[in-house]
Coordinates of all heavy atoms in Angstrom, one line a residue:
K68 N -24.3 0.5 27.4 CA -25.4 -0.5 27.3 C -24.9 -1.9 26.9 O -25.3 -2.9 27.5 CB -26.4 0.0 26.3 CG -27.6 -0.9 26.2 CD -28.6 -0.3 25.1 CE -29.8 -1.2 25.0 NZ -30.8 -0.7 23.9
I69 N -23.9 -1.9 26.0 CA -23.3 -3.2 25.6 C -22.6 -3.8 26.8 O -22.7 -5.0 27.0 CB -22.3 -2.9 24.4 CG1 -23.0 -2.4 23.2 CG2 -21.6 -4.2 24.1 CD1 -22.1 -2.0 22.1
L70 N -21.8 -3.0 27.5 CA -21.1 -3.5 28.7 C -22.0 -4.1 29.7 O -21.8 -5.1 30.3 CB -20.2 -2.4 29.3 CG -19.3 -2.8 30.4 CD1 -18.4 -4.0 30.0 CD2 -18.5 -1.6 30.9
Q71 N -23.1 -3.4 30.0 CA -24.1 -3.9 31.0 C -24.7 -5.2 30.5 O -24.9 -6.1 31.3 CB -25.2 -2.8 31.2 CG -26.2 -3.1 32.3 CD -25.5 -3.4 33.6 OE1 -24.6 -2.6 34.0 NE2 -25.8 -4.5 34.3
E72 N -25.0 -5.3 29.2 CA -25.6 -6.6 28.7 C -24.6 -7.7 28.9 O -25.0 -8.8 29.2 CB -25.9 -6.4 27.2 CG -27.1 -5.5 26.9 CD -27.4 -5.3 25.4 OE1 -26.5 -5.9 24.6 OE2 -28.3 -4.7 25.1
L73 N -23.3 -7.4 28.7 CA -22.3 -8.5 28.9 C -22.2 -8.8 30.3 O -21.9 -10.0 30.7 CB -21.0 -8.0 28.3 CG -20.9 -7.8 26.8 CD1 -19.6 -7.2 26.3 CD2 -21.2 -9.1 26.0
R74 N -22.3 -7.9 31.2 CA -22.2 -8.1 32.7 C -23.3 -9.1 33.1 O -23.1 -10.0 33.8 CB -22.2 -6.8 33.4 CG -20.9 -6.1 33.5 CD -21.0 -4.8 34.3 NE -19.7 -4.2 34.4 CZ -19.5 -2.8 34.4 NH1 -20.6 -2.0 34.3 NH2 -18.3 -2.3 34.5
T75 N -24.5 -8.7 32.6 CA -25.7 -9.5 33.0 C -25.6 -11.0 32.4 O -25.8 -11.9 33.2 CB -27.0 -8.9 32.4 OG1 -27.1 -7.5 32.8 CG2 -28.2 -9.7 32.7
A76 N -25.1 -11.1 31.2 CA -24.9 -12.4 30.6 C -23.8 -13.2 31.3 O -24.0 -14.4 31.5 CB -24.6 -12.3 29.1
S77 N -22.8 -12.5 31.7 CA -21.7 -13.2 32.4 C -22.1 -13.8 33.7 O -21.6 -14.8 34.2 CB -20.4 -12.3 32.5 OG -20.7 -11.3 33.5
K78 N -23.0 -13.1 34.4 CA -23.4 -13.6 35.7 C -24.2 -14.8 35.6 O -24.3 -15.7 36.5 CB -24.2 -12.5 36.4 CG -23.4 -11.3 36.9 CD -24.2 -10.2 37.5 CE -23.3 -9.0 37.9 NZ -24.2 -7.9 38.4
K79 N -24.9 -15.0 34.5 CA -25.8 -16.2 34.3 C -24.9 -17.3 33.7 O -25.4 -18.5 33.7 CB -26.9 -15.8 33.3 CG -27.9 -14.8 33.8 CD -28.9 -14.4 32.8 CE -29.9 -13.3 33.3 NZ -30.8 -13.0 32.2
A80 N -23.7 -17.0 33.2 CA -22.9 -18.0 32.5 C -22.2 -18.9 33.5 O -21.7 -18.4 34.5 CB -22.0 -17.4 31.5
E81 N -22.0 -20.2 33.1 CA -21.2 -21.1 33.9 C -19.7 -20.7 33.8 O -18.9 -20.8 34.7 CB -21.5 -22.5 33.5 CG -20.7 -23.6 34.2 CD -21.0 -25.0 33.7 OE1 -22.1 -25.2 33.0 OE2 -20.2 -25.8 33.8
R82 N -19.4 -20.2 32.6 CA -18.0 -19.9 32.3 C -18.0 -18.9 31.2 O -18.8 -18.9 30.3 CB -17.2 -21.1 31.9 CG -15.7 -20.9 31.8 CD -14.9 -22.2 31.7 NE -13.5 -21.9 31.6 CZ -12.6 -22.9 31.5 NH1 -13.0 -24.1 31.4 NH2 -11.3 -22.6 31.4
V83 N -17.0 -17.9 31.2 CA -16.9 -16.9 30.2 C -15.6 -17.1 29.4 O -14.5 -17.3 30.0 CB -16.9 -15.5 30.8 CG1 -16.7 -14.4 29.7 CG2 -18.2 -15.2 31.5
Y84 N -15.7 -17.1 28.1 CA -14.5 -17.2 27.2 C -14.3 -15.9 26.4 O -15.3 -15.3 25.9 CB -14.6 -18.4 26.2 CG -14.6 -19.7 26.8 CD1 -15.8 -20.4 27.0 CD2 -13.4 -20.3 27.1 CE1 -15.8 -21.7 27.6 CE2 -13.4 -21.6 27.7 CZ -14.6 -22.3 27.9 OH -14.6 -23.5 28.5
L85 N -13.1 -15.4 26.3 CA -12.8 -14.2 25.6 C -12.1 -14.6 24.3 O -11.0 -15.1 24.3 CB -11.9 -13.3 26.5 CG -12.5 -12.9 27.9 CD1 -11.5 -12.2 28.7 CD2 -13.8 -12.2 27.7
A86 N -12.8 -14.4 23.2 CA -12.3 -14.8 21.9 C -12.0 -13.7 20.9 O -12.4 -13.7 19.8 CB -13.2 -15.9 21.3
T87 N -11.4 -12.6 21.5 CA -11.1 -11.4 20.6 C -9.9 -11.7 19.7 O -9.3 -12.8 19.8 CB -10.8 -10.2 21.5 OG1 -9.8 -10.6 22.5 CG2 -12.0 -9.7 22.2
D88 N -9.6 -10.8 18.8 CA -8.6 -11.1 17.8 C -7.2 -11.4 18.4 O -6.9 -10.9 19.4 CB -8.5 -9.8 16.9 CG -9.7 -9.7 15.9 OD1 -10.4 -10.7 15.8 OD2 -9.9 -8.6 15.3
P89 N -6.4 -12.2 17.6 CA -5.1 -12.6 18.1 C -4.0 -11.7 17.9 O -3.0 -12.0 17.3 CB -4.9 -13.9 17.3 CG -5.5 -13.6 16.0 CD -6.8 -12.8 16.3
D90 N -4.2 -10.4 18.4 CA -3.1 -9.4 18.4 C -3.1 -8.6 19.7 O -3.9 -8.9 20.6 CB -3.2 -8.6 17.1 CG -4.6 -7.9 17.0 OD1 -5.3 -7.8 18.1 OD2 -4.9 -7.4 16.0
R91 N -2.3 -7.6 19.7 CA -2.2 -6.8 21.0 C -3.5 -6.1 21.3 O -3.9 -6.1 22.5 CB -1.1 -5.7 20.8 CG 0.3 -6.3 20.8 CD 1.3 -5.1 20.6 NE 2.7 -5.6 20.4 CZ 3.7 -4.8 20.0 NH1 3.5 -3.6 19.6 NH2 4.9 -5.3 19.9
E92 N -4.2 -5.6 20.3 CA -5.4 -4.9 20.5 C -6.5 -5.9 21.0 O -7.2 -5.6 22.0 CB -5.9 -4.2 19.2 CG -5.1 -3.0 18.8 CD -5.1 -1.9 19.9 OE1 -6.2 -1.6 20.4 OE2 -4.0 -1.3 20.1

Side-chain angles (χ1 to χ4, degrees):
K68 185 178 179 182
I69 298 173
L70 185 56
Q71 187 56 48
E72 288 176 358
L73 294 177
R74 280 180 178 147
T75 302
S77 68
K78 289 176 183 177
K79 297 177 182 177
E81 182 181 336
R82 189 170 178 181
V83 178
Y84 292 99
L85 304 174
T87 50
D88 287 345
D90 56 15
R91 288 177 187 167
E92 289 300 316

